Amino acid sequence: MRDSGVLCSLIALLLSLAVHGVYGDSPYRFFTWKITYGDIYPLGVKQQGILINGQFPGPQIDAVTNDNLIISVYNYLREPFLISWNGLQQRRNSWQDGVYGTTCPIPPGKNFTYVLQAKDQIGSYFYFPSFLFHKAAGAFGGIRIWSRPRIPVPFPPPAGDFTVLAGDWYRSNHYVLRRLLDSGHNLPFPDGLLINGRGWNGYTFTVEPGRTYRFRISNVGLTTSINFRIQGHSMKLVEVEGSHTLQNTYAALDIHLGQTYSVLVTMDQAPQDYYIVVSSRFTPRVLTTTAILHYSNSRRGVSGPIPGGPTTKIAWSLNQARSIRWNLTASGPRPNPQGSYHYGMIKISRTITLANSAPYMNGKQRYAINGVSFVPADTPLKLADYFKIPGVFTLGSMPTSPNWGNAYLQTSVMAANFREFVEIVFQNWEDTVQSYHIDGYSFFVVGMDGGQWTPASRTRYNLRDTVARSTTQVYPRSWTAIYMALDNVGMWNIRSENWARQYLGHQFYLRVYSPANSWRDELPIPKNALLCGRARGRHTRPL
C-alpha cells in the first residue's frame, strides 16, 4: 500500500469531480484511517479488538453541512473489511454506502478511499464496520455534522459537545460470535454495557459549573435497547438523527439499537461527581454501567445509589416516543423552517407492509421479513445492477406484504420508482422490540401502537409534526408506520439494527430506480470502485 499511489489517485479523483462540478465549491475534509487488530479490555478481559488509528472507539468525524469527506481506509486485518455510515444519506451515491449490497469489502493489505458528502444534513450519527460481524470488535465512532455559519440553530452554542457511544458488549471475540451464528444459534445474553469503550466508571466527562453542554448519545450495541440518564440532572432534547425537535425535558431517555439522540444538560447542581447511567431495556436481567460527570471544582466523588430507570415497561417507552416532535419553526440544514415540508399533505403512492419473524430453517435459527430470509450474493447488488450481471438477484424477490407460508432463503430486492411517496408499516408479532434502519433516507414516523395495523390505524397518525429520522423502533406485538419520499436513487439496505438478526437474514434491499440515467439523479460509478465477485475484471469508467 503505497501512499504516493493513493495520493495520485486522489488527485485524479478530485480533478474529475472539479471538472464535472459534482460537489460544487463545498469544502473537503481528508482522513486517513489504518484498520488494525489490537488488545482491548472493555470489560476487564483481554479481547481482540479492531482499532482505527490505534483507537477504540474510532476517531470522531466532524463536518459542516455539504462538506466532502475523503476517507482513505487501509485494511491491515487478515480478512476483508467494510465501513458504513449510519444516518448519512449518501445523496445520489449508494456506491459509497459501505454495506455489502453496494460496496466490495476492502481486501486484506489493500486500501479504498471513500468520497462522501454531508449533503443537506445536520446532526448526530455514527459509523461502524458492516461486514463479517466486525461490529462486535469495535471500529465504530461518532459523526457530528454542524450547521453552516449563517443557518440559525434553535439553541445557544453550548459550552462543550460530547459524543456518547453506548451499547451492549460481549467478552467473546467477534469471530467466536460469528461462528456461533453460522452454526445456527442465536447470541447469548450480553456480558455488559459500555460507554465510549469503557466499563463501570471507566469514562469521565469534565464540565464547568453553571455551563450547558451537549451530549450526542448513540446506541451502537448489537442486541439491546438502552436507557440513558444523568444523576440529579434533567436533559433537554434538541435533535434526533438530523431533526431539530421540540425541546422537551426528560429525566431518562430510551435509545433503541442504531438510534441517536442529542440533549442539552445544564450543570446546575452542587459541585461534585455524578453518575451517568446506561441500563438495558426489556431484558430478563437488567445490565447497568456508569460513567462519571465530573464538575471541574468537585472535591467529592460519586455517591448515593445509582439512579434507577425503567426496565420492562413498554407503555412508558411508547409514550415517550410519541412525545418526540419536530420543531416546525427551526431551520434544518437550510434556512427554511423544517415545518415548511408538509409531509402529511402528500398523497401516498402505495403501502408496503413488512412483518418480521424468527423461523428455524434446516434446524438453524434464521430471521426473515415477509417470510424471506436474506442471503448475501457473491457480488454486491449495486455492481450487479450496474454491469447487468444476470443471476445475482431478481427484482421483486422481496414481497411488499407478509407471506404467511413457510420462510425461504433469497437475495431479496424490492423494486421502487424514483419520487414515489410510500407508506411503510412495520408489523412485529414477536415478543421483543425491533429496531429498523433505512440507508439513504430519513422518514417520518407517523404512528405506532399495539396490535395489528389496519387502514383505520391511519386516523391516529401524526400528520403535522412527527420527527424525521433514519431508525425507528417497533414494540412487541405492535406496529410502527412511516412515510418516506423516495427521492434518492440507488440500492438501499433496509435492515434490523439487532446485528445478530441482520446477520441471519433480517434485511433486504430497496432498489430505487430512475430511467433518466442522468447524473442529476445518480452519480456515476466511482473510478476507484473495488470490483469483486462476478464484477471482477470489469472496468468502472474512464477518468
Side-chain angles (χ1 to χ4, degrees):
M1 297 185 290
R2 297 181 61 87
D3 291 350
S4 58
V6 174
L7 181 60
C8 290
S9 299
L10 186 55
I11 291 171
L13 178 62
L14 294 179
L15 285 173
S16 173
L17 295 177
V19 167
H20 296 291
V22 174
Y23 294 123
D25 297 324
S26 299
Y28 288 81
R29 297 177 186 261
F30 296 88
F31 305 83
T32 299
W33 287 357
K34 295 182 179 180
I35 312 300
T36 60
Y37 298 114
D39 293 339
I40 57 175
Y41 301 81
L43 292 177
V45 176
K46 180 180 176 180
Q47 293 178 252
Q48 182 190 77
I50 296 179
L51 314 181
I52 301 180
N53 294 348
Q55 300 178 45
F56 167 72
Q60 180 84 36
I61 292 178
D62 280 300
V64 174
T65 301
N66 293 341
D67 278 0
N68 300 288
L69 309 178
I70 315 300
I71 306 174
S72 189
V73 179
Y74 292 79
N75 179 16
Y76 290 97
L77 307 182
R78 295 184 294 272
E79 53 190 358
F81 183 77
L82 196 54
I83 287 185
S84 191
W85 321 91
N86 211 70
L88 288 191
Q89 293 176 14
Q90 315 289 359
R91 305 298 300 177
R92 301 182 296 145
N93 197 15
S94 65
W95 306 104
Q96 307 284 354
D97 199 33
V99 289
Y100 181 64
T102 62
T103 314
C104 291
I106 306 169
K110 303 295 182 181
N111 95 290
F112 175 72
T113 298
Y114 290 90
V115 180
L116 318 175
Q117 189 185 27
K119 178 66 174 173
D120 287 338
Q121 286 192 263
I122 57 167
S124 312
Y125 310 96
F126 65 92
Y127 61 85
F128 68 97
S130 63
F131 197 54
L132 295 180
F133 219 67
H134 287 154
K135 192 177 180 184
F140 49 76
I143 302 173
R144 297 183 295 199
I145 304 179
W146 306 84
S147 297
R148 287 172 290 176
R150 296 184 180 180
I151 305 299
V153 175
F155 50 87
D161 194 296
F162 298 118
T163 293
V164 182
L165 303 172
D168 57 7
W169 192 259
Y170 291 84
R171 291 191 178 98
S172 298
N173 288 323
H174 73 280
Y175 51 83
V176 174
L177 300 176
R178 187 173 70 215
R179 285 199 296 265
L180 186 65
L181 295 171
D182 288 338
S183 68
H185 298 90
N186 203 349
L187 295 182
F189 192 69
D191 293 307
L193 300 173
L194 302 183
I195 298 174
N196 287 354
R198 306 291 186 269
W200 201 272
N201 287 352
Y203 196 91
T204 298
F205 299 88
T206 300
V207 296
E208 297 291 329
R211 310 291 292 276
T212 297
Y213 293 81
R214 185 173 182 174
F215 290 78
R216 304 173 190 246
I217 313 130
S218 298
N219 185 342
V220 297
L222 299 176
T223 66
T224 309
S225 297
I226 60 174
N227 184 268
F228 181 89
R229 52 203 182 271
I230 301 177
Q231 182 185 26
H233 294 74
S234 59
M235 300 177 289
K236 182 184 291 184
L237 184 66
V238 293
E239 179 253 332
V240 173
E241 296 164 23
S243 287
H244 286 134
T245 63
L246 289 182
Q247 296 179 12
N248 298 329
T249 298
Y250 300 93
L253 272 174
D254 276 357
I255 306 174
H256 302 278
L257 288 163
Q259 293 184 338
T260 299
Y261 288 81
S262 188
V263 299
L264 297 179
V265 182
T266 298
M267 305 305 145
D268 54 5
Q269 299 299 302
Q272 64 175 67
D273 292 356
Y274 295 89
Y275 288 114
I276 294 176
V277 187
V278 171
S279 59
S280 62
R281 286 287 267 131
F282 319 114
T283 53
R285 174 166 59 88
V286 178
L287 296 171
T288 304
T289 195
T290 58
I292 302 299
L293 182 71
H294 172 68
Y295 278 53
S296 61
N297 60 342
S298 169
R299 295 184 178 180
R300 182 182 176 189
V302 290
S303 62
I306 294 171
T311 54
T312 60
K313 302 169 188 171
I314 298 291
W316 186 97
S317 188
L318 175 61
N319 288 334
Q320 183 177 88
R322 288 172 172 165
S323 75
I324 298 171
R325 303 296 182 92
W326 223 17
N327 187 334
L328 297 180
T329 60
S331 297
R334 296 184 178 187
N336 51 300
Q338 293 179 142
S340 62
Y341 184 78
H342 301 287
Y343 66 90
M345 300 176 66
I346 303 174
K347 184 179 179 180
I348 299 168
S349 304
R350 57 175 168 145
T351 298
I352 299 167
T353 304
L354 304 175
N356 50 278
S357 59
Y360 277 83
M361 305 175 70
N362 300 319
K364 294 185 175 183
Q365 177 71 70
R366 297 288 300 182
Y367 296 96
I369 303 176
N370 290 355
V372 184
S373 186
F374 183 85
V375 288
D378 60 4
T379 305
L381 309 180
K382 183 63 182 169
L383 293 179
D385 197 26
Y386 176 77
F387 289 116
K388 297 180 171 54
I389 303 172
V392 176
F393 71 91
T394 302
L395 275 178
S397 51
M398 180 66 206
T400 58
S401 59
N403 168 19
W404 300 115
N406 293 330
Y408 57 94
L409 302 174
Q410 182 80 46
T411 304
S412 43
V413 179
M414 184 181 292
N417 293 320
F418 185 40
R419 295 205 169 100
E420 282 189 87
F421 189 81
V422 298
E423 174 187 50
I424 300 178
V425 178
F426 298 103
Q427 183 71 60
N428 176 21
W429 286 118
E430 297 185 61
D431 292 325
T432 54
V433 176
Q434 306 299 318
S435 188
Y436 280 92
H437 179 83
I438 301 182
D439 282 354
Y441 289 92
S442 66
F443 47 74
F444 294 93
V445 185
V446 292
M448 53 178 65
D449 210 342
Q452 171 74 51
W453 181 90
T454 68
S457 303
R458 295 187 180 117
T459 62
R460 303 195 297 276
Y461 282 5
N462 178 355
L463 299 181
R464 183 174 181 271
D465 64 350
T466 193
V467 72
R469 63 188 313 166
S470 59
T471 308
T472 188
Q473 70 272 31
V474 192
Y475 292 103
R477 301 193 172 275
S478 300
W479 57 266
T480 294
I482 67 172
Y483 282 178
M484 187 167 75
L486 300 185
D487 57 1
N488 198 10
V489 173
M491 186 76 72
W492 303 108
N493 190 218
I494 298 180
R495 62 175 178 267
S496 170
E497 285 287 81
N498 180 311
W499 217 240
R501 295 182 71 106
Q502 179 272 350
Y503 187 84
L504 293 178
H506 194 160
Q507 61 170 309
F508 70 95
Y509 282 81
L510 181 72
R511 180 199 188 235
V512 180
Y513 175 71
S514 168
N517 194 28
S518 165
W519 285 24
R520 178 199 64 195
D521 295 344
E522 184 176 29
L523 298 181
I525 185 172
K527 173 65 178 175
N528 69 329
L530 298 173
L531 302 179
C532 56
R534 285 185 251 176
R536 186 176 287 111
R538 298 172 186 256
H539 300 285
T540 54
R541 60 185 174 90
L543 180 62

